[in-house]
Amino acid sequence: MITLRKITLDNRRAVFNLEVSEDQRQYVASNLSSVASCYVLSTNGGHPFPFAIYADEQPVGFAMLTYGITGYELPSVADGSYCILRFMIDRHYQGRGYGREALAEMIKFIRTFPAGPAQLCWLPYKRDNTAAKKLYESFGFQENGEICDGEQVTVLRL
Ligand SMILES: CC(C)(COP(=O)(O)OP(=O)(O)OC[C@H]1O[C@@H](n2cnc3c(N)ncnc32)[C@H](O)[C@@H]1OP(=O)(O)O)[C@@H](O)C(=O)NCCC(=O)NCCS
């Protein structure tokens, strides 16, 4: 069973050690860098929710959800919307359905509107990231035609 859990003193090193394959590194920053970005966001008015993704008791991935993200190049849909960033499943655990289950859990969490109301959830992905594209489209995300920092913007109505 997949669960989203807080980053803690106990699990932080295991989360930092999770990695994608070499050819996927172009798609996602390291988890250490992502947790650092969450700190910067939270000290500058943002609302980041960094999550370790667990399969039963095993950390297998990471994602950060944000609300009211600021300080980046942003698409028009960003204002007052939730955003999913830095989503990854470790290379040893990919292809087992964990990513799909984790995304369902993230959307369920976002639909509790933990940081405020919103109409939309958006995320950016690189055009050639076909695994991510297929996964997001199967949840109903649709590209809105915008490019953010070189990445396609795709949007889900909440
Ligand atoms: C994208 C990612 C999170 C998917 O995680 P995963 O656990 O491997 O995904 P799942 O096994 O749950 O598969 C979910 C869906 O993704 C798609 N998918 C996964 N691997 C794929 C592949 N190699 N080729 C094509 N589609 C693929 C499929 O649509 C699949 O659904 P299906 O099995 O019903 O066809 C994972 O590949 C990853 O960490 N990639 C590197 C980082 C990244 O690109 N993150 C996204 C940034 S926007």
Side-chain angles (χ1 to χ4, degrees):
M1 186 180 134
I2 291 290
T3 49
L4 304 180
R5 301 193 193 173
K6 283 185 185 168
I7 312 295
T8 64
L9 288 173
D10 285 339
N11 71 13
R12 71 191 197 285
R13 286 184 204 285
V15 172
F16 296 157
N17 285 335
L18 297 171
E19 281 181 341
V20 296
S21 64
E22 202 166 327
D23 58 315
Q24 292 173 329
R25 283 193 198 142
Q26 56 177 315
Y27 300 138
V28 71
S30 74
N31 293 342
L32 182 59
S33 149
S34 296
V35 172
S37 295
C38 286
Y39 171 77
V40 175
L41 273 176
S42 67
T43 52
N44 287 275
H47 298 87
F49 297 93
F51 281 122
I53 298 167
Y54 274 72
D56 296 324
E57 292 308 309
Q58 175 66 46
V60 297
F62 174 85
M64 62 187 262
L65 314 182
T66 67
Y67 178 79
I69 187 170
T70 54
Y72 293 88
E73 182 197 332
L74 292 174
S76 63
V77 288
D79 199 22
S81 299
Y82 287 87
C83 178
I84 298 173
L85 294 169
R86 313 290 176 83
F87 176 29
M88 62 82 74
I89 298 291
D90 180 272
R91 60 201 172 101
H92 297 108
Y93 298 103
Q94 291 180 14
R96 303 184 191 186
Y98 294 163
R100 179 176 293 286
E101 226 183 301
L103 185 58
E105 288 301 312
M106 285 185 245
I107 293 169
K108 206 194 298 178
F109 175 76
I110 287 170
R111 286 193 165 125
T112 68
F113 303 103
Q119 305 287 326
L120 302 173
C121 172
W122 68 280
L123 59 85
Y125 70 93
K126 288 215 164 67
R127 177 167 284 292
D128 66 349
N129 193 349
T130 45
K133 180 179 167 67
K134 274 179 66 182
L135 176 59
Y136 300 141
E137 282 179 353
S138 72
F139 276 79
F141 280 88
Q142 290 185 329
E143 286 181 17
N144 75 347
E146 284 185 77
I147 308 286
C148 175
D149 210 10
E151 301 194 330
Q152 306 302 124
V153 172
T154 188
V155 179
L156 178 74
R157 187 155 288 283
L158 293 171

